[in-house]
């Protein structure tokens, strides 16, 4: 367990095992919120495929964080940071009329995080079972005007 704990702490400290850096490399401030969200989901998928062991350790850290306070604090800070970024992205999409005007941003940010975490878990249960670009398209479709599920 100590090796797993150390790995999880390092993974969380390293901002999701390099995922943030992978996103940052592809991020262009001139992109629209819709394109940024599509890219973010697709890069997450690429990262899950290419860094599956690191993602597995990260997921173990989520569980261990429930019983190890210092790890739990790191997990909480990481999730809050991600929710803030998702909220900003969704607000920008609403402001630019790319996403529905009636979007409940805070709830949708949590749903988006839950969807990505769930897709990552699903991919680990059944490797290659998740079509990340298609998942991104469907998530975005649910956020856009006139396409409420």
């Amino acid at each position: 367990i100590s090796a797993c704990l150390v790995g999880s702490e390092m993974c969380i400290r390293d901002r999701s095992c390099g995922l943030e850096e992978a996103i940052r490399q592809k991020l262009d401030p001139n992109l629209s919120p819709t394109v940024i969200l599509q890219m973010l989901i697709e890069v997450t998928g690429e990262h899950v495929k290419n860094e599956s062991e690191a993602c597995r350790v990260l997921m173990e850290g989520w569980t261990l964080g429930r019983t190890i306070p210092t790890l739990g604090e790191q997990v909480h800070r990481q999730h809050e940071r991600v929710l803030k970024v998702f909220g900003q992205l969704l607000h920008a999409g609403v402001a630019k009329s790319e996403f529905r005007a009636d979007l409940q941003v805070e709830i949708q940010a949590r749903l988006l995080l839950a969807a990505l975490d769930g897709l990552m878990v699903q991919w680990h249960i059944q490797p290659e079972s998740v079509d990340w670009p298609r998942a991104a398209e469907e998530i975005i479709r649910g956020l856009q005007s006139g396409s409420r599920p």
Side-chain angles (χ1 to χ4, degrees):
I1 286 186
S2 66
C4 184
L5 172 61
V6 169
S8 295
E9 273 191 85
M10 294 302 294
C11 208
I12 290 168
R13 245 187 241 138
D14 185 34
R15 297 192 171 119
S16 300
C17 305
L19 177 58
E20 286 185 23
E21 182 58 30
I23 291 169
R24 197 177 342 263
Q25 289 176 359
K26 292 192 175 194
L27 195 59
D28 178 344
N30 298 318
L31 298 174
S32 72
T34 301
V35 173
I36 292 172
L37 183 54
Q38 177 88 27
M39 180 272 304
L40 192 149
I41 296 168
E42 290 180 12
V43 169
T44 299
E46 290 171 18
H47 190 73
V48 169
K49 291 176 184 180
N50 297 332
E51 302 292 335
S52 63
E53 191 63 21
C55 289
R56 185 187 58 74
V57 170
L58 179 67
M59 290 186 295
E60 290 170 357
W62 297 341
T63 303
L64 288 172
R66 300 292 297 157
T67 57
I68 302 170
T70 56
L71 186 58
E73 290 168 16
Q74 290 177 10
V75 169
H76 177 75
R77 281 193 305 272
Q78 176 195 31
H79 275 87
E80 289 303 313
R81 188 174 61 246
V82 170
L83 287 171
K84 182 179 176 183
V85 169
F86 285 169
Q88 291 169 342
L89 183 60
L90 294 171
H91 275 296
V94 170
K96 291 186 174 195
S97 299
E98 293 181 27
F99 301 143
R100 296 191 325 261
D102 66 342
L103 197 72
Q104 300 295 309
V105 171
E106 290 75 24
I107 293 170
Q108 287 295 334
R110 287 196 181 278
L111 289 171
L112 182 55
L113 178 57
L116 292 180
D117 288 349
L119 288 169
M120 182 166 52
V121 169
Q122 181 62 39
W123 190 91
H124 281 274
I125 292 170
Q126 293 179 303
E128 303 299 329
S129 64
V130 177
D131 181 338
W132 290 89
R134 190 158 173 220
E137 290 170 10
E138 288 301 314
I139 289 168
I140 291 167
R141 186 184 330 239
L143 300 172
Q144 294 174 331
S145 297
S147 57
R148 293 182 75 158

